[in-house]
Amino acid sequence: MQQDYDTRITLMILHGNLNPFLSQTTKIKSMFFKEELLYSIGAVEQHYNPGDYIFREGANPKFYFQIVNGDVKLNNYNSAGKEFIQNILSSKDPVGDYRLYLEQTYPVNAVALSNCTIIKLCASTFTRFLDQPTSKSLFRALQILIQATLP
């Protein structure tokens, strides 16, 4: 019975049918939580200027971040000091969330490219929310999906 429920949740994630938890989406990489939901469980907005670090490579995830507006680059540097830009994120994109789900350090830096407003929610609050019976299967499905997409 639980396995059937987890399968349904996984399919709902893939097809974007998890309201009120998630927005409508068809790709896991662009999944985001509704801002109202994040604010209702204690999230706050934080403003970043161009060049500000949201987090640094090697740091432990302590917050769930989601962009309200602005652009953020995910980058790292090779041994010769050359920058490699992994991705450019924008409005409604989560930043580094998959590492929070997997409880692993960040393999990249997140740096504001423009003036940004980002929702910030303490990791322990976020995981407590995901541990609630109504969202526990969602959390497990996210872990499975993310692990399946990592190299």
Side-chain angles (χ1 to χ4, degrees):
M1 180 73 145
Q2 181 64 38
Q3 184 177 10
D4 290 342
Y5 184 72
D6 288 343
T7 301
R8 283 196 313 271
I9 293 292
T10 302
L11 291 173
M12 290 169 73
I13 289 171
L14 291 174
H15 296 290
N17 297 324
L18 272 178
N19 287 328
F21 297 114
L22 304 174
S23 66
Q24 293 295 327
T25 182
T26 56
K27 298 180 201 171
I28 187 141
K29 77 176 196 115
S30 61
M31 179 175 50
F32 66 97
F33 287 86
K34 290 187 175 185
E35 292 175 15
E36 299 83 24
L37 173 66
L38 296 173
Y39 294 132
S40 75
I41 59 175
V44 296
E45 285 187 354
Q46 188 162 356
H47 301 281
Y48 295 87
N49 296 314
D52 287 350
Y53 281 79
I54 292 122
F55 57 77
R56 293 183 184 265
E57 181 178 358
N60 289 313
K62 295 184 180 177
F63 299 95
Y64 171 83
F65 297 101
Q66 185 169 298
I67 302 170
V68 175
N69 58 53
D71 298 309
V72 172
K73 71 178 173 180
L74 301 179
N75 74 349
N76 56 10
Y77 296 89
N78 67 17
S79 59
K82 184 170 172 112
E83 179 183 32
F84 180 70
I85 297 175
Q86 304 279 345
N87 203 354
I88 306 285
L89 305 172
S90 58
S91 181
K92 298 197 184 335
D93 286 333
V95 183
D97 61 321
Y98 61 96
R99 292 297 170 175
L100 182 62
Y101 304 136
L102 298 175
E103 299 176 349
Q104 295 178 355
T105 61
Y106 295 118
V108 295
N109 301 302
V111 183
L113 288 174
S114 61
N115 288 319
C116 295
T117 302
I118 297 178
I119 295 172
K120 183 177 176 181
L121 179 63
C122 180
S124 61
T125 301
F126 187 64
T127 54
R128 266 195 316 273
F129 165 73
L130 292 176
D131 274 342
Q132 293 177 4
T134 56
S135 50
K136 200 166 199 162
S137 291
L138 166 63
F139 181 65
R140 183 66 188 127
L142 285 172
Q143 287 178 315
I144 291 167
L145 288 171
I146 292 167
Q147 287 172 340
T149 62
L150 293 176

